[in-house]
Every structure is written in structure tokens, then in C-alpha cells.
Amino acid sequence: MEANKLEIRPFHLPPLGPKDAKIRMKAVGICGSDVHYFQHMRLADFVVREPMVIGHECAGIVEEIGSEVKHLAVGDKVALEPGVSCAHCAHCKEGHYNLCDEMKFFATPPIHGSLANFVVHPADLCFKLPDNVSLEEGAMCEPLSVGVHACRRAGAGPHTKVLVLGSGPIGLVTLMAAKAFGSPRVVVVDVDENRLKMAKELGAHAVVCVSTKAQDTEKEVNEIQQKMGADIDVTFDCAGLEKTMTTALKATKSGGQVCLVGMGHIEMRVPLTAAAAREVDILGVCRYRNTYQLCIDLISSGQIDVKPLITHRMKLCHSCLKIKNCKGLIQLLKAVMPGGALVDMDFVEERTLGGRPKGGGYAGSKAVCKGGGG
């Protein structure tokens, strides 16, 4: 097993349960976590120990429904929420199913992802898309859900002036969610001028380009506060680095909130005592919960336009997965982009179905990330 290698392999689907839906995948986004597993074979404590299918930002067409499914019909366009919780633990019963210890989430080892011809998925996690929302936009409900959940956690609204640290895809969807929630002013900070340009195009009221040097923090905090022109009520750290958290804790007003969305550093030294003395609250974010229908409504109503985040479109086939001369998905996975990439599943080559793998739930061709971790 090795890093930086993709293959297309055959799989069988499991039987369709009475509460399941069989979905033909039509659009699958490439997330930063997919890139990390592809390159490093692990992300935090999740290690790729056997070939794993990537992809969790997805949408498709209903091919078949279980006998108890009433809200879907064959031919419906749907966005798939990729996490399946146990529904029985205390977290699930309290409505915090995103914190379920038994969560099975697409493309999180050892669970396979959705870059496949078909998947079988619980029907209640398949959300019907209205006519004016495309399958591509449906796939983008997944990253948008992170921004929406973060804004809910922090109580973003017309009364909150918002700072977003990091303008990668998650920073950008957080920017858009904050604006949709009514935040009157949003300032975005990053080290990359190109990403900040996109943030400005997507509606940031002001942007600040900073360095990676810790010694510049105080000066940059002053500049950020000046650009805001008022107290910063809520800061979203969408990078999760020691410097960004330090910036967040210092820039946010006394009595404000810092929401840690990104997870760049597992451990960090930050001025926590000084922030606590000013009653700056720190909130964590774990994926999302109960966001998909709201995301669909925000896109359908035009309050949020996710299309600019899709910076690349590509077909998936055997020829573009050859390492030696690959000019398609491999390069795309390695690229650092301001937005995101999307694979059009109409181009996936059909292959003879093979034996069902451990934890199967897929059929047809699959893009498999191969690697081992220790």
C-alpha cells in the first residue's frame, strides 16, 4: 500500500433495506480531508490501514427506494448527508447526533466514501433538491453545512460583527453563512492574496493579508480591529493554528466568542488566561447537525451562491488515474485551491462488479485511495 495512489475497483452493493435508498452518484466534491488521506494516509487519529474510497460531498439521483420510504421517489435529485449516527446514544437522543461515538461518516477510516457509481444510504439522510438547485450545488451542501453549523453555534446574526480567519473553502462558506444569517460586517483574514480576492468577491466587507510570523500578531490584531471599525463580536478560526487562535483570542471583544472550526494544530500554546479574564468564550465545532434542509433553502432562495466555490470540474476514468502521466485528479488532489473541485460521475467508467468488501455499500467503479498508516 502506498500514498498518492488512486485506483478504480469493483464492488457489490449490500441489500436495500426498507428505510434505505439506492442513489446513483452524479456529483462528488474533493475535500481537504480527501487530500490529506491521499497524501498522508491519516488525519488526526484516523488512519488509512486498507484501501479506502474517498469522497463525502455528494449528490445523485434516486435509483430505488426501500419499502418504508415515503418522502422520495425514483428519479428525485438528492443531496446526501454523509454521517450515519447510531440514533440510540445519549448524544443522539439529545439531538446532538454529530457527536455520536459510533458515527459512520463517508471517507473517514474505516468507512468508505461516496466516489462511486452507486451507494445505499439511509433515506432520511437523502434530501430532495428543488428544481432550481443543481446536483453540483447539492454536493456543496456538505461544506456549507460546516459554516452554517458554526454560525448557529456562535449565534451569528444581525447583532454580530464577524471575523473569519482563513479563507479556504470552509472559511468562505462560513463567510457566506454569516452574511446569510444577517451579520452586518464580516472581515476575512488570510496569508494568501488570491484567497482573499475570492473572499472579497463573495461579499467580505474587508480583508486583511497577514504573515505566518508570530511576532507580527499584535500589529495585525490592530489592523484587523481597524478594518472592522467596531468591536468584533464573533471570530471563526477556520485554520485552527496556534497563530490564528492567538489572533482570535486577542482580536475578539471582551464578552465575545471565538469559534474554533479548523483543526490545523492538534496542540497549541495560546493566551487563554488573558482571554478568560475578559470572558471570551471558546466554542468547538464538530461537523454539523440538522443543517442540510437549511442549506438547500439558502441556495434555492439565492441567499447563498455556492457555484463560485467549484473551481474545477473533471471526469473520473482509469486513464486519468495513472500516476506516471496523470494530469487530472492526482494533480487536482495535490493542488492548493481557493475553492473546491468536483468530479462529474457521468464520466465514471463502468466495470464488472466484484466481491463485496468489508463494510460494503457500493457498486460499480470506485475511486480507491490506497495507503497504510501506523
Side-chain angles (χ1 to χ4, degrees), residues 85-98:
S85 62
C86 76
H88 303 300
C89 69
H91 292 307
C92 289
K93 289 181 178 179
E94 291 169 358
H96 301 155
Y97 66 87
N98 58 315

Side-chain angles (χ1 to χ4, degrees), residues 11 14 33-34 37 41 45-58 80-86 100-116 119-122 125 287 356-362 366-369:
F11 286 101
S33 64
D34 295 316
Y37 286 126
M41 299 299 102
D45 294 331
F46 296 100
V47 181
V48 180
R49 301 187 185 278
E50 58 184 29
M52 183 189 77
V53 180
I54 60 174
H56 61 269
E57 304 173 358
C58 54
L80 279 66
E81 183 172 346
V84 183
S85 62
C86 76
C100 176
D101 291 333
E102 303 300 320
M103 176 69 75
K104 294 178 174 59
F105 199 92
F106 281 164
T108 300
I111 308 301
H112 287 306
S114 57
L115 195 53
V119 301
V120 167
H121 202 56
L125 295 175
R287 294 175 177 146
R356 179 183 171 189
K358 178 182 178 182
Y362 310 88
K366 306 271 305 174
V368 179
C369 177

Side-chain angles (χ1 to χ4, degrees), residues 257-311:
Q257 294 179 310
V258 171
C259 193
L260 179 56
V261 184
M263 297 183 180
H265 286 163
I266 297 175
E267 296 181 357
M268 55 182 91
R269 289 173 60 100
V270 296
L272 192 58
T273 303
R278 297 193 298 112
E279 295 190 358
V280 176
D281 294 336
I282 300 176
L283 303 172
V285 168
C286 179
R287 294 175 177 146
Y288 41 79
R289 59 178 178 263
N290 301 315
T291 55
Y292 260 64
Q293 190 56 58
L294 175 57
C295 289
I296 292 170
D297 293 343
L298 289 171
I299 294 170
S300 177
S301 66
Q303 294 181 71
I304 288 181
D305 181 8
V306 295
K307 293 189 292 294
L309 295 178
I310 305 171
T311 57

Side-chain angles (χ1 to χ4, degrees), residues 16-167:
L16 184 75
K19 298 181 180 180
D20 294 334
K22 178 182 177 182
I23 310 298
R24 178 184 287 273
M25 290 289 96
K26 303 296 284 185
V28 180
I30 300 299
C31 174
S33 64
D34 295 316
V35 177
H36 215 275
Y37 286 126
F38 172 76
Q39 293 180 321
H40 306 290
M41 299 299 102
R42 71 180 301 152
L43 180 61
D45 294 331
F46 296 100
V47 181
V48 180
R49 301 187 185 278
E50 58 184 29
M52 183 189 77
V53 180
I54 60 174
H56 61 269
E57 304 173 358
C58 54
I61 305 291
V62 175
E63 189 89 358
E64 187 178 354
I65 57 174
S67 59
E68 297 181 20
V69 178
K70 306 301 181 185
H71 71 288
L72 297 176
V74 173
D76 284 345
K77 297 185 303 179
V78 292
L80 279 66
E81 183 172 346
V84 183
S85 62
C86 76
H88 303 300
C89 69
H91 292 307
C92 289
K93 289 181 178 179
E94 291 169 358
H96 301 155
Y97 66 87
N98 58 315
L99 303 179
C100 176
D101 291 333
E102 303 300 320
M103 176 69 75
K104 294 178 174 59
F105 199 92
F106 281 164
T108 300
I111 308 301
H112 287 306
S114 57
L115 195 53
N117 288 47
F118 298 96
V119 301
V120 167
H121 202 56
D124 62 355
L125 295 175
C126 300
F127 294 82
K128 186 175 178 179
L129 299 174
D131 291 340
N132 68 333
V133 175
S134 69
L135 288 159
E136 289 189 355
E137 292 170 304
M140 294 302 293
C141 286
E142 200 283 332
L144 179 58
S145 285
V146 177
V148 166
H149 181 56
C151 285
R152 279 178 170 172
R153 285 276 288 152
H159 60 290
T160 56
K161 287 165 285 295
V162 168
L163 171 64
V164 177
L165 300 177
S167 58

